[in-house]
Structures are given as C-alpha cells and as structure tokens.
Amino acid sequence: MSRTVVVTGSTSGIGLGVARAFATEGANVVINGFGPADAIEATRRELDGLSSGTVLYHGADMTKPAEIEDLIATAARNFGTVDVLVNNAGIQHVAKIEEFPPEKWDQLIAILLSSAFHTMRHAIPLMKKAGHGRIINVASAHALTASPFKSAYVAAKHGILGLTKTAALELAEFGITVNAICPGYVLTPLVEKQIPDTARERGISEAEVRSEVMLRLQATKEFVSIEEVAAAAIYLASDAARSITGTHISIDGGWTAQ
Ligand code: NAD
C-alpha cells in the first residue's frame, strides 16, 4: 500500500524536489504552497503521473493554524493517515535588525517555525495510532550557524532544531522519528530573490554575493542540488533510518565544518 506524505511548501524548489522523489517511489503525496493555479495544477498532474498513488494539492497558508489543521485533516480523510510529514515551507527576508519590519519577523517565525508545531500537533495522533511515522524538518545550515541580516530566519531555523529534538524524545517509543535536514545554499527561487537584497545590505555586487557570501564558506564552492536534499529525505523516511532520531543531516558542502 502506498505511504502518504505531506510536504509543506512543495510548489517550488526543495519541497517540490522532495514531493517528486516521494511520488516517484509510489507515495500518495499532498503538495502545498503558493503560485498560479494553472502552474500548480500542472505540477500536481506531473507528480500524479509519476506515482502509483495519488497526488493532491492543498493551499493551506502556513501562517494560518486553522488552514494547517485542514491540510492534515485532508490527508487523513483521503488516505487514512500521514506516514511522512515534511515541514519545508519557507521564505526569507534580509535586513538589519533595527530595520527589520516587525510584521516580516512574525511572518518568518510563523512559516519557518510555528507551522511545523501546528502540522506536527495534528499529524502526531495519526502517527501514534498507526504505530509509525517520520517527521522531517527542512532546516538549514542556519540552524547551526548565523549570518548577519537574517535574524528571523536564523532564529527560526535554530528553533526548529530544538523542536526536532524535543519531538524526537517525546515520540521515540512510538515508532516515530523526527529529524532535520540542514542544507547549505541551494539555487532555488528563495535564494535567487535574496541576492539583490544582500548585495544592497553589504554594498557589493550580485556576483560577489554568490561567490563571496553564499559560496565563501561552502567548502566545495558549489551550490547543493535539490535532488541531494530530496535523497536525504527519502533516506530518513526509510526503514534503514529507524534508529536515527533527534538529529540532523548537514548537506552543506562543508560550510558548518569551519
Ligand atoms: P522556494 O521559494 O523555492 O520554495 C518555498 C515554498 O514555500 C514554495 O512552495 C512557496 O509557495 C511555499 N510557501 C511560502 N510561504 C508559504 C506559506 N505562507 N504557506 C504555504 N507555503 C508557503 O524556497 P526553497 O529554497 O525551496 O526553500 C524550502 C525550504 O528549504 C525553506 O524552509 C528554506 O528555508 C529551506 N532551505 C533553503 C535553502 C536554499 O539555499 N534554498 C537552504 C537551506 C534551507
């Protein structure tokens, strides 16, 4: 029988790559995120065609707890349970703390941190009932180390690692593992969008943002690929990873080794 996987923020970038990898394995997948309706439907169909299961779209806004509850309820109603929950949705905002708009702070914390609390609190009872589950939080190298001008992002990502460890301890005896993936820079729309802002904050060119900011500490001097992150999610969701819980996998080209 197909596993059921919910991936938040999967209309683009890493989340889409993760959803595609699970669909390719034959899972039922609930994709989520923003974008033009026709593009989302094209994505849903493409993934549905890859899977022997069914791929659905749910448009829950990760800043809205009631919509998040409906996302998990929709998965349960259609497929009976949630076997794998991937908390991935994210945005970025780059500014000095004293110029950081308070509403942006709240939005980043809501999407990057609180939404994972809400998906988890609704998915955990389903997983406990089933006697198994996998929760995978797409964190970041910024869960382990900081960069200037990314206060909300770094705070939320450090926070999600704490939530990961706490949930892992609470769920260890229920066959449910909880882990984080900490990618370095992956060239997705989220990263592309912050290049001009970072150039402005640092007073450097966009080319220098890529080479001197993003890839400076990434020892490989290469961006991480979406497929590499998706492969780690597939591994963490596998039976082989049943004893891995409360930890993280860094995929950062050596960034946090420094
Ligand atoms: P992306 O912009 O390509 O995708 C973000 C996804 O989140 C999109 O589907 C978008 O619609 C969705 N989203 C945004 N706000 C939402 C909301 N309020 N409700 C529901 N969905 C929402 O970005 P990405 O780079 O693929 O980022 C995915 C995750 O990976 C994020 O958590 C990000 O912090 C993390 N990450 C990215 C990188 C990187 O270099 N790209 C590195 C480390 C971690």
Side-chain angles (χ1 to χ4, degrees):
M1 213 179 69
S2 293
R3 283 193 298 184
T4 297
V5 184
V6 174
V7 187
T8 70
S10 43
T11 53
S12 167
I14 292 170
L16 175 54
V18 169
R20 185 176 282 121
F22 278 107
T24 305
E25 291 223 321
N28 300 313
V29 185
V30 182
I31 59 168
N32 156 262
F34 297 152
D38 51 348
I40 291 173
E41 175 54 15
T43 298
R44 190 204 64 76
R45 272 184 207 219
E46 182 223 322
L47 300 193
D48 194 65
L50 291 173
S51 179
S52 53
T54 302
V55 177
L56 299 181
Y57 168 71
H58 190 290
D61 180 339
M62 289 299 118
T63 65
K64 306 229 162 79
E67 294 185 21
I68 297 171
E69 180 173 11
D70 193 57
L71 168 71
I72 302 299
T74 298
R77 197 168 54 246
N78 282 276
F79 304 121
T81 191
V82 174
D83 299 293
V84 182
L85 168 64
V86 183
N87 290 306
N88 166 83
I91 60 166
Q92 178 61 283
H93 189 80
V94 178
K96 297 179 184 67
I97 293 174
E98 66 273 28
E99 290 168 9
F100 211 95
E103 59 281 6
K104 270 286 164 204
W105 170 276
D106 289 344
Q107 190 189 13
L108 261 76
I109 299 294
I111 296 171
L112 293 167
L113 179 56
S114 303
S115 77
F117 161 70
H118 292 297
T119 54
M120 282 164 63
R121 75 192 175 89
H122 296 300
I124 285 169
L126 300 169
M127 291 178 173
K128 279 188 171 173
K129 199 166 156 209
H132 68 88
R134 293 284 190 269
I135 300 173
I136 300 165
N137 297 320
V138 178
S140 168
H142 281 122
L144 305 163
T145 190
S147 295
F149 316 122
K150 294 187 176 177
S151 53
Y153 189 87
V154 171
K157 292 297 187 183
H158 275 65
I160 193 109
L161 215 46
L163 178 61
T164 300
K165 293 181 201 173
T166 305
L169 295 180
E170 289 186 22
L171 299 171
E173 292 178 58
F174 294 90
I176 303 167
T177 68
V178 190
N179 293 289
I181 299 176
C182 293
Y185 281 102
V186 186
L187 261 190
T188 65
L190 179 144
V191 165
E192 301 272 10
K193 272 183 242 155
Q194 67 189 267
I195 291 174
D197 295 343
T198 303
R200 194 187 54 246
E201 287 297 343
R202 292 181 181 248
I204 58 177
S205 72
E206 294 191 13
E208 285 169 322
V209 171
R210 287 169 187 254
S211 62
E212 303 306 318
V213 178
M214 295 181 164
L215 297 182
R216 185 173 64 88
L217 293 174
Q218 215 147 290
T220 53
K221 303 294 174 204
E222 285 181 29
F223 285 97
V224 174
S225 78
I226 289 171
E227 290 72 23
E228 290 166 85
V229 181
I234 295 289
Y235 171 63
L236 286 173
S238 73
D239 289 342
R242 59 181 282 276
S243 300
I244 300 177
T245 196
T247 190
H248 67 273
I249 296 180
S250 283
I251 312 179
D252 65 7
W255 174 355
T256 54
Q258 320 207 26

